[in-house]
Amino acid sequence: MIDRIDDTLGFHQRALSLRAYRQEVLAANIANANTPHYKARDLDFKASLQGAMGGRGGPLDLVRTAPRHLPAGGNAPAGARLLYRSETQSSVDGNTVDMDVERAAFAENALQYEASVTFINGMLRTLQTALQGQ
């Protein structure tokens, strides 16, 4: 029984980590909307979650040749694979950020994050009620 609870909560923890990371990526896109030659990024949530659950598809480990080099993955959770967003409209400065697409993706991701948190809270309340025997 404990294993099932642990698996379920582990799944939701990974999903929330990926949602939070995606929110950071989308926010970076929005912040760089006027940066010349900036390429919008996003992640395939389903593929990233499958990679995180299977333990594959994480960020590539690069060799750090000097102690001051930064790690390659940044704060990306395991399984997160950043992709470049396809260009919807050409811009003169080479920027691929479409603010309408970014705002919609940001709002959708925030809604899904909140829904996941609400679902987890419901599961924990149900578990607490079962443990208390009420």
Side-chain angles (χ1 to χ4, degrees):
M1 177 68 175
I2 296 297
D3 291 339
R4 287 183 55 205
I5 294 169
D6 188 45
D7 289 344
T8 302
L9 291 177
F11 170 81
H12 287 292
Q13 183 267 331
R14 288 180 185 94
L16 284 177
S17 294
L18 284 170
R19 289 266 176 230
Y21 180 62
R22 183 170 186 234
Q23 205 72 349
E24 291 176 19
V25 170
L26 295 172
N29 289 346
I30 292 170
N32 288 292
N34 294 323
T35 303
H37 305 290
Y38 181 82
K39 305 300 179 201
R41 307 288 303 260
D42 200 356
L43 61 98
D44 180 356
F45 182 79
K46 181 178 178 183
S48 295
L49 186 58
Q50 287 173 342
M53 294 307 294
R56 14 173 246 294
L60 182 63
D61 290 331
L62 300 178
V63 175
R64 292 170 55 181
T65 57
R68 293 179 39 177
H69 287 173
L70 298 176
N75 61 348
R81 298 192 60 179
L82 278 180
L83 307 170
Y84 288 99
R85 190 182 300 281
S86 60
E87 190 172 348
T88 56
Q89 183 176 354
S90 321
S91 72
V92 175
D93 65 358
N95 187 306
T96 63
V97 175
D98 181 347
M99 285 301 288
D100 293 332
V101 171
E102 300 304 327
R103 283 188 202 115
F106 190 88
E108 177 188 7
N109 193 62
L111 182 66
Q112 291 172 341
Y113 185 92
E114 288 297 322
S116 294
V117 168
T118 301
F119 182 74
I120 292 169
N121 284 338
M123 283 179 25
L124 293 175
R125 273 194 299 274
T126 301
L127 185 59
Q128 182 181 14
T129 302
L131 291 173
Q132 291 175 347
Q134 294 178 354

